[in-house]
Amino acid sequence: MLLETRAGERLEVEAEEISWESANEEVGYASGFTVYAFAQGDTELTASVGELSVTLSLSVRYRDHLEWTPVSGEAFLAGESAVLEVNVMSEDGLSLQQLSPSQVVWEFSDEDAAKVEGGRLHFLHPANLSVKGFWQGISGQATYPVELKWKTFDCGDGSCCGIATNDNTYCWGVNSGLTLGQHTHSFYPVHMPTPSPLVSLSLGLAEACGLDAQGKAWCWGKNNRATVGDGTRTPRATATAVDTPLSFKRISASGTGVSCALSKQDKLYCWGAFPVSIWRNLVANQLGDATVYESPVLMSDEEIDAFTLGALLCARRKSDHIWMCQGENEHGQLGDGTEEPTMTFFDVPGSINFSQLLSGAFHTCALDLVGQVWCWGTNVDEGLGIPVMQGPNGPTNLYIYTPTRTAWPNNFQTLYGERSRAWCGVSEAGLECWGANATCLLDRDPSLSYSYQPLLITDDAYLMFEMGGWTWMSRTTLRAFGRENLRVKFGAKKSSGVFRLRKPPPYKKAPPSLSPICN
């Protein structure tokens, strides 16, 4: 062994030439070139060689537990990962040794929510995640809230689905027709595996559909009216490929027994039970009630640049921008002045002036080029934006079968609806809604049954807005109004689209009480 003096002189020393003294031999001492540790504590070791000496500090600690970064409590988004740095720690917080993450045995409270790979901790799905690590009889534990941030979402009559920034699909609400897959009703997002990541979604009554990045169509759900489009009427609890080689750029699943998609060649294809909106026979197994297409069929030789699917199927011809509709028409929503069904497209009068048209259950509404709203159909709950007046022979304005401008001057940029006989639109004032308040979609006390006047819901800015049958949602504050069993149990970071789970997401059935709550 070589020793170097302060003067720079180098001396070669043998082990037996060194004498050691320990301030506390119960903690540890040294002999030769070896240090011996006996008990937890601190002491000083003094080494002497002739007239030369040096004092060393010796700290003895037991290996007590593991700690690592990221530290416990740090929040992550599903899809993110973090570098793992693992240390063996003493009871009083000294780092004794650094380990490779591969040396540690890892356990997760939810095995699907995270994994350790390549020296990183990967957060896969939302959870209040507990992580435990084990090494040579010692262990450590950390908890991470793993959150979702949404790219897009859509709501149907009883449930909602969204695509998160980790490219996974999640659904929540009432599991009507298997829209939540194998799960029961859920207050919290549950993962819906898809063969390839989806980029868009549409939810109907008992089915859900989506498109992947290549435009391939996938659907799942009850499928009793062939709305999955896989060539069968077999219930599908997992995303199933629609029976076509076509690629699409938009897809829509409705609550009326039909699904449609617009191909990349601007051709409209649909599948399910026709005419659209077979209200009188929910099963649609009787040949006299419907024509059922189990795979996509071409709806028109015309090129289409927009379409809407509700109680009617309406499409806008690319050549002249005129809207044409077809369907059962039992509420006069077609605009032809009758309640007669049609399986051929009818050109809606004046629709060349409509920038947007939406088909609902009882009404059809459109937005013209200057932002005025036009509606037609049966004026149930004053959803046409026109007050029902009492005449000498009873109520008037109950039936308006041709496009008619609403009774207010409000200008809108976008329309939403109709769900549960309510409509919404974005105006300069903010988000305004009118029609029925039966499921609190007007965000008013249930004593208000309906309103033909648009009511201001919020002046908040938002990234995205969707209406469901019992709820509406916006992607900044994720406000959700509707029946209690569809309340979305999140807190949210305003303007971020990040929704934080309040507790671990067990799969829960809806509570027995479905009374509307509008706060």
Side-chain angles (χ1 to χ4, degrees):
M1 178 179 180
L2 291 177
L3 296 180
E4 186 172 341
T5 67
R6 291 181 180 178
E9 183 181 0
R10 305 184 72 181
L11 303 174
E12 186 171 349
V13 178
E14 300 294 333
E16 56 269 16
E17 297 181 69
I18 304 175
S19 62
W20 290 91
E21 290 186 5
S22 172
N24 188 346
E25 292 189 352
E26 292 183 357
V27 173
Y29 73 92
S31 176
F33 299 143
T34 305
V35 175
Y36 299 89
F38 294 111
Q40 185 165 279
D42 298 297
T43 188
E44 290 186 343
L45 302 177
T46 301
S48 300
V49 178
E51 297 181 352
L52 301 176
S53 66
V54 63
T55 299
L56 309 174
S57 294
L58 174 65
S59 292
V60 180
R61 296 292 186 273
Y62 298 128
R63 297 186 302 194
D64 183 75
H65 65 280
L66 301 179
E67 289 184 9
W68 56 80
T69 56
V71 297
S72 183
E74 188 174 348
F76 291 89
L77 294 176
E80 288 185 328
S81 66
V83 174
L84 264 178
E85 295 183 355
V86 186
N87 289 285
V88 179
M89 306 296 294
S90 67
E91 185 179 15
D92 55 352
L94 290 179
S95 177
L96 306 179
Q97 181 180 353
Q98 187 168 11
L99 301 177
S100 167
S102 61
Q103 294 176 265
V104 180
V105 176
W106 300 98
E107 288 185 3
F108 307 101
S109 58
D110 184 343
E111 293 295 333
D112 294 327
K115 66 179 180 179
V116 172
E117 187 175 84
R120 302 181 71 89
L121 178 56
H122 300 266
F123 302 96
L124 306 178
H125 297 296
N128 282 338
L129 181 68
S130 175
V131 179
K132 294 180 179 180
F134 301 89
W135 178 78
Q136 293 190 3
I138 60 175
S139 64
Q141 182 172 347
T143 301
Y144 307 100
V146 185
E147 306 164 350
L148 286 173
K149 186 173 182 179
W150 304 104
K151 291 182 178 179
T152 186
F153 55 82
D154 190 52
C155 292
D157 283 5
S159 57
C160 299
C161 292
I163 301 170
T165 51
N166 63 351
D167 293 326
N168 285 306
T169 298
Y170 300 87
C171 297
W172 61 95
V174 174
N175 194 20
S176 175
L178 299 176
T179 51
L180 271 63
Q182 305 285 359
H183 304 286
T184 60
H185 308 314
S186 177
F187 286 102
Y188 306 93
V190 294
H191 181 218
M192 282 293 299
T194 55
S196 58
L198 301 183
V199 296
S200 65
L201 277 169
S202 176
L203 266 71
L205 173 64
E207 284 82 20
C209 291
L211 299 178
D212 63 20
Q214 290 70 45
K216 186 175 179 62
W218 305 87
C219 295
W220 63 94
K222 189 174 182 180
N223 201 28
N224 65 315
R225 291 194 271 179
T227 37
V228 169
D230 65 340
T232 75
R233 292 199 216 179
T234 303
R236 301 296 185 186
T238 58
T240 303
V242 175
D243 183 27
T244 177
L246 294 166
S247 295
F248 299 100
K249 54 186 179 182
R250 191 190 157 208
I251 195 166
S252 179
S254 80
T256 57
V258 175
S259 300
C260 295
L262 187 63
S263 76
K264 292 185 176 181
Q265 292 72 39
D266 295 322
K267 294 299 181 73
L268 184 62
Y269 293 83
C270 296
W271 53 96
F274 289 85
V276 178
S277 186
I278 306 296
W279 296 107
R280 289 185 291 272
N281 180 13
L282 294 178
V283 180
N285 281 328
Q286 301 176 25
L287 295 178
D289 290 335
T291 302
V292 179
Y293 298 100
E294 296 179 346
S295 299
V297 294
L298 180 65
M299 299 306 298
S300 171
D301 290 331
E302 303 277 1
E303 290 187 348
I304 302 299
D305 62 4
F307 75 95
T308 178
L309 186 57
L312 301 175
L313 169 62
C314 299
R316 187 172 63 186
R317 283 197 299 266
K318 194 174 180 180
S319 59
D320 56 13
H321 300 292
I322 289 177
W323 286 89
M324 51 187 187
C325 297
Q326 63 168 266
E328 193 172 57
N329 194 32
E330 68 173 327
H331 297 287
Q333 316 96 311
L334 191 61
D336 65 349
T338 76
E339 294 182 2
E340 297 299 319
T342 176
M343 288 188 67
T344 59
F345 279 118
F346 166 78
D347 288 0
V348 177
S351 62
I352 192 173
N353 297 311
F354 295 156
S355 60
Q356 184 185 8
L357 184 146
L358 290 175
S359 170
F362 296 89
H363 334 99
T364 303
C365 287
L367 194 64
D368 67 19
L369 297 175
V370 296
Q372 295 286 291
V373 177
W374 298 66
C375 296
W376 57 100
T378 301
N379 198 20
V380 59
D381 294 324
E382 297 183 344
L384 300 184
I386 299 171
V388 175
M389 308 298 292
Q390 293 294 327
N393 299 318
T396 61
N397 292 337
L398 286 178
Y399 310 100
I400 299 177
Y401 293 156
T402 57
T404 303
R405 195 172 71 81
T406 53
W408 20 268
N410 306 49
N411 288 332
F412 289 89
Q413 296 124 36
T414 308
L415 287 183
Y416 299 96
E418 159 223 358
R419 296 300 184 110
S420 292
R421 305 190 300 280
W423 292 82
C424 293
V426 177
S427 69
E428 291 184 357
L431 183 71
E432 300 184 73
C433 299
W434 71 95
N437 192 42
T439 55
C440 307
L441 285 173
L442 301 189
D443 192 25
R444 297 299 191 275
D445 187 272
S447 61
L448 175 68
S449 299
Y450 50 84
S451 173
Y452 81 91
Q453 289 279 7
L455 302 177
L456 183 64
I457 304 298
T458 176
D459 58 2
D460 287 346
Y462 55 84
L463 303 173
M464 185 178 177
F465 176 82
E466 287 294 342
M467 290 181 73
W470 293 343
T471 184
W472 66 254
M473 299 171 55
S474 61
R475 209 185 92 191
T476 48
T477 57
L478 190 65
R479 296 187 178 185
F481 299 96
R483 295 178 184 260
E484 178 67 18
N485 69 315
L486 291 180
R487 280 294 178 85
V488 184
K489 301 294 183 181
F490 298 98
K493 297 179 181 177
K494 186 177 176 65
S495 302
S496 70
V498 178
F499 312 133
R500 188 189 301 272
L501 290 171
R502 290 182 179 173
K503 56 184 178 180
Y507 303 130
K508 293 186 176 180
K509 292 186 178 180
S513 172
L514 298 180
S515 58
I517 297 177
C518 302
N519 55 2

